[in-house]
Amino acid sequence: HGLGDTGHGWAEAFAGIRTPHVKYICPHAPVKPVTLNMGMSMPSWFDIIGLQTDAEEDEAGIKQASENIKALIDQEVKNGIPSHRIVLGGFSQGGALSLYTALTTQQKLGGVVALSCWLPLRNSFPQASRNSANNEMHVLQCHGEADPLVPVMFGCLTVEKLKTLCNPSNIIFKTYPRMPHSACPEEMMDIKQFIEKQLPPI
């Protein structure tokens, strides 16, 4: 989920596109002060200092959040789900975290769904992903063309960077006219199809 939200909203969104053999986990970010919002405390995976392409980033917070997501993946693996049957996904700040985690983990994942987001700490790549197991991973990246918060240009720049880190033929980038910083039914159907393709019934 994105800044200031919880996992509940996305759990409701996924209820409409559920695939019967797939388990959906929608975690909540911890509550912490956010510099961008004048230090107010709210659910946030890491601190956001600014929204410009050259804004300072919360490197320690991003790395800590990523470790927390890797621990969630480890827990599912311990429960008997192979990591290559796990698709990581997120919206906005959560999408940014999903991309960063997938590109830096040694756990081979089933794919990533990255919605209305960007790649954090982008200048740390390709070095940061040299030990990643996911150079061949499949990515569905989606963005609203009318997004006023995370402009679609961020999505375009991110997909170009991803193509240098992963097999370009495994990266799908979809944009939606008139969609702001949110989701739409067409996007949700694209997510459903991607998940069903990456996680077919066993």
Side-chain angles (χ1 to χ4, degrees):
H1 69 75
L3 179 66
D5 200 2
T6 69
H8 292 307
W10 283 98
E12 286 173 22
F14 278 112
I17 60 162
R18 287 185 80 91
T19 300
H21 65 273
V22 175
K23 174 182 176 182
Y24 297 81
I25 300 172
C26 300
H28 307 305
V31 173
K32 52 177 63 181
V34 175
T35 304
L36 180 72
N37 291 344
M38 297 173 296
M40 279 175 50
S41 290
M42 60 189 63
S44 184
W45 297 107
F46 49 85
D47 192 17
I48 295 184
I49 295 135
L51 291 176
Q52 314 84 336
T53 51
D54 59 350
E56 184 189 341
E57 292 183 277
D58 175 19
E59 182 172 354
I62 291 164
K63 289 180 173 175
Q64 181 57 58
S66 180
E67 289 306 313
N68 295 344
I69 299 301
K70 290 171 189 173
L72 276 180
I73 297 168
D74 282 339
Q75 189 57 52
E76 290 308 304
V77 171
K78 284 196 186 97
N79 290 342
I81 299 177
S83 66
H84 68 84
R85 296 278 301 170
I86 295 173
V87 170
L88 208 51
F91 172 80
S92 193
Q93 189 192 37
L97 178 59
S98 295
L99 280 177
Y100 183 83
T101 302
L103 289 169
T104 57
T105 185
Q106 293 171 9
Q107 301 150 315
K108 187 169 176 56
L109 298 173
V112 175
V113 176
L115 310 175
S116 306
C117 67
W118 67 95
L119 176 62
L121 305 179
R122 66 189 182 284
N123 294 331
S124 67
F125 295 94
Q127 294 77 12
S129 60
R130 67 179 177 274
N131 295 324
S132 171
N134 293 309
N135 306 17
E136 292 290 323
M137 74 174 169
H138 290 254
V139 178
L140 172 64
Q141 195 183 331
C142 303
H143 219 110
E145 291 175 18
D147 191 329
L149 281 179
V150 181
V152 70
M153 177 53 70
F154 282 36
C156 296
L157 292 170
T158 295
V159 85
E160 289 313 310
K161 184 78 172 180
L162 285 177
K163 285 178 177 175
T164 69
L165 303 172
C166 306
N167 182 340
S169 63
N170 291 343
I171 297 171
I172 303 165
F173 183 44
K174 296 204 167 203
T175 63
Y176 305 87
R178 298 180 301 284
M179 187 173 88
H181 194 62
S182 62
C184 69
E186 186 188 349
E187 180 185 49
M188 296 307 290
M189 288 311 298
D190 288 336
I191 295 167
K192 177 180 170 73
Q193 287 167 1
F194 178 81
I195 289 173
E196 288 174 350
K197 186 173 177 211
Q198 295 312 120
L199 302 176
I202 297 174

